[in-house]
Amino acid sequence: MKKIIIFIMIILLSGCKKTTLNIKTEIIDKENCLISINYPITKENKLNKEIITKVKKIKKDFLKTKCNLETNTKHELNIDFEYKDINNKYISILIKTYNNELETYFYDKKEKNILNIIDIMTSNDLNTLNNTIKNNTNLEDLNFTIDNEYIYVYKDNYIKKIELDKFDLKIKINKENIIKEKNTYKKVDKIIDYDKKVIALTFDDGPSKYTKKIVDLLNEYDANATFFILGNKVEIYNETLTYLLESGNEIGNHSYNHKWLKNVAKEELLEQITKTQDIIEKNLNYTPTLFRPTYGSVNNLMKENVKLDIVLWNLDTLDWKYKNSKKISENLLKKVKDKDIILMHDTYEYTYNALKIIIPALKEEGYQFITVSELKKLNEIQNKQK
Ligand code: ZN
């Protein structure tokens, strides 16, 4: 009897392997200011606290100085991140905003402490570094990130990349060449009844820790949706995204870090899109064909240069504004009609809870939940028949 109990325990424990990293996303679309914040939540509380304090401060300052102004110009705050895990011993994080404000964190998982450059470099190293970057300020405040091969020093709007081999270092960093397995997903066959009502649910700004739960729910009702994702989250949510694709859902491009693309130059617009296409292709073996502009802002530059299909929506659930599953579902169920493209966000728990009401209710009304590309195909076929 004892043996059986132990065996079951092991299965339970191994089944509990949780993702230890999540990305917190906050998108606010106000009349005269736009806010997009993405930052990592690790399982290290001390590190999280530091990052959250910093992000909150930047946001508060922005709200106070830019969002209360009665002007016709729109102000934008975009906070993005870079995350690196080194030998499963250290975490290196860069938090950056578009007005060149940045903060770096180098965290020792074992010591549970944030280290500065003096903690990790010998005095010889520091001399070498000072000579390389021509530094004459306080080294303790130096912003840097590290990966398995390089140290990146951020100074006066430039980044200096220096090989770690040049230093002795007080800490040990192993060069490891992690060859990531490319996820391959199996395509699923689907049957769509053209005589029945259809609906295309779309989710922006994800993936997040709620995305997998949403896909589970969709699967339960034989439903599919389209997820317009951010490029900077692809590597972290690789498994979720593979599961999402294998369940027959579609992935669309929603830029790399949710930059407002209406006022940017062509190069930056295309970089945001290409960087996202590339990271999706590299990690998931999948090529999106749809693009949803951030904040729903489309301009001619976009129409002329973006090779992907630009997809907006015709029913906005305003989930981010209502913040209440009952309100979200009531609003949607009142307005929904055949062939609607619906805007939601898979970054909120209340949206997931609203879906638990919406999906069964619409299923009951005879709706089929299809992807945006499937809807486009359906429209093409029916237009030809006319
Ligand atoms: Zn968005």
Side-chain angles (χ1 to χ4, degrees):
M1 193 58 199
K2 237 179 189 170
K3 272 182 192 164
I4 295 168
I5 292 168
I6 292 166
F7 181 61
I8 292 168
M9 284 274 290
I10 292 168
I11 292 177
L12 283 175
L13 284 175
S14 60
C16 282
K17 208 185 135 210
K18 269 191 183 169
T19 320
T20 52
L21 178 65
N22 271 300
I23 305 303
K24 169 89 179 157
T25 297
E26 212 181 322
I27 313 274
I28 299 170
D29 185 350
K30 282 194 175 188
E31 248 165 67
N32 61 348
C33 66
L34 303 171
I35 299 177
S36 162
I37 300 173
N38 285 293
Y39 62 91
I41 305 277
T42 67
K43 61 171 188 176
E44 308 295 333
N45 289 334
K46 195 173 176 181
L47 177 61
N48 292 343
K49 224 173 145 184
E50 288 282 329
I51 295 172
I52 291 168
T53 308
K54 177 73 188 172
V55 168
K56 275 193 175 160
K57 196 193 167 296
I58 300 173
K59 186 185 157 190
K60 201 179 154 197
D61 289 348
F62 178 78
L63 284 170
K64 216 166 96 186
T65 56
K66 301 282 194 241
C67 291
N68 290 329
L69 302 176
E70 298 223 357
T71 56
N72 291 327
T73 20
K74 253 190 203 272
H75 293 279
E76 183 192 13
L77 172 67
N78 185 296
I79 302 183
D80 192 18
F81 70 94
E82 278 171 28
Y83 174 94
K84 284 160 196 150
D85 180 284
I86 304 129
N87 304 141
N88 209 11
K89 278 177 14 200
Y90 305 101
I91 296 171
S92 181
I93 291 176
L94 165 69
I95 300 288
K96 56 181 170 179
T97 74
Y98 266 78
N99 42 9
N100 288 324
E101 201 175 335
L102 61 84
E103 193 73 44
T104 58
Y105 304 87
F106 189 74
Y107 186 80
D108 186 329
K109 283 186 181 178
K110 200 173 156 213
E111 300 296 326
K112 302 225 165 286
N113 212 359
I114 295 171
L115 307 178
N116 67 37
I117 200 93
I118 295 165
D119 299 323
I120 64 167
M121 284 196 166
T122 63
S123 49
N124 263 346
D125 290 339
L126 293 170
N127 278 336
T128 314
L129 183 70
N130 262 336
N131 291 334
T132 320
I133 62 168
K134 296 179 180 62
N135 184 65
N136 42 26
T137 54
N138 194 356
L139 274 176
E140 272 178 56
D141 303 328
L142 196 73
N143 278 315
F144 68 95
T145 56
I146 289 182
D147 62 19
N148 293 91
E149 281 180 75
Y150 297 95
I151 177 164
Y152 305 78
V153 177
Y154 301 81
K155 223 178 145 287
D156 310 327
N157 296 341
Y158 75 84
I159 309 169
K160 183 97 186 165
K161 177 178 165 186
I162 316 160
E163 277 176 50
L164 284 179
D165 286 351
K166 291 216 164 81
F167 305 101
D168 294 324
L169 296 186
K170 290 182 192 169
I171 58 167
K172 198 170 157 37
I173 288 178
N174 295 328
K175 264 191 195 178
E176 52 180 68
N177 247 336
I178 311 162
I179 300 163
K180 269 219 211 137
E181 266 181 63
K182 211 176 198 177
N183 274 344
T184 46
Y185 68 95
K186 302 180 265 320
K187 277 189 187 157
V188 283
D189 292 326
K190 281 193 268 185
I191 301 163
I192 299 164
D193 186 343
Y194 288 176
D195 297 325
K196 274 189 180 172
K197 286 189 284 190
V198 292
I199 193 175
L201 296 176
T202 66
F203 298 95
D204 285 11
D205 306 343
S208 79
K209 62 176 176 181
Y210 305 114
T211 307
K212 190 189 168 288
K213 284 165 82 178
I214 291 176
V215 176
D216 284 339
L217 186 68
L218 290 167
N219 283 345
E220 208 181 300
Y221 289 93
D222 212 7
N224 281 137
T226 306
F227 294 78
F228 291 95
I229 66 170
L230 299 179
N232 63 4
K233 296 179 169 186
V234 170
E235 285 180 343
I236 288 155
Y237 290 102
N238 199 311
E239 266 177 54
T240 300
L241 291 170
T242 307
Y243 173 56
L244 182 157
L245 287 172
E246 288 198 330
S247 304
N249 301 293
E250 178 166 22
I251 286 178
N253 185 326
H254 191 43
S255 84
Y256 191 77
N257 55 21
H258 214 274
K259 179 105 178 87
W260 187 39
L261 299 171
K262 203 169 179 178
N263 287 339
V264 300
K266 188 176 152 188
E267 290 69 34
E268 192 175 354
L269 166 71
L270 294 180
E271 195 204 329
Q272 283 274 342
I273 292 169
T274 312
K275 217 170 148 188
T276 306
Q277 288 296 100
D278 289 351
I279 204 162
I280 294 172
E281 275 166 18
K282 197 178 120 210
N283 284 276
L284 300 162
N285 234 345
Y286 176 91
T287 310
T289 57
L290 311 175
F291 173 65
R292 174 163 286 166
T294 49
Y295 304 102
S297 303
V298 189
N299 61 8
N300 283 335
L301 191 76
M302 218 177 258
K303 284 184 198 160
E304 283 156 19
N305 293 287
V306 175
K307 300 279 185 292
L308 305 171
D309 278 332
I310 297 174
V311 179
L312 293 172
W313 56 85
N314 51 352
L315 177 51
D316 188 350
T317 59
L318 295 174
D319 52 351
W320 62 276
K321 211 170 176 180
Y322 288 146
K323 296 184 173 56
N324 174 305
S325 54
K326 202 165 165 264
K327 262 192 179 171
I328 298 165
S329 54
E330 276 174 3
N331 177 44
L332 182 144
L333 293 171
K334 204 165 62 193
K335 294 178 185 163
V336 69
K337 58 182 192 311
D338 189 22
K339 292 190 180 141
D340 269 348
I341 297 179
I342 304 207
L343 172 64
M344 304 182 101
H345 300 85
D346 55 329
T347 45
Y348 305 114
E349 190 163 28
Y350 45 75
T351 299
Y352 167 66
N353 288 328
L355 285 166
K356 288 199 273 190
I357 307 168
I358 292 163
I359 296 176
L362 292 181
K363 186 101 185 170
E364 189 69 28
E365 285 183 33
Y367 276 99
Q368 299 174 99
F369 301 83
I370 63 175
T371 66
V372 170
S373 287
E374 287 161 357
L375 177 64
K376 283 169 73 99
K377 215 177 267 171
L378 178 66
N379 284 334
E380 275 168 29
I381 293 169
Q382 289 182 340
N383 284 339
K384 265 186 209 158
Q385 285 170 349
K386 270 178 197 166

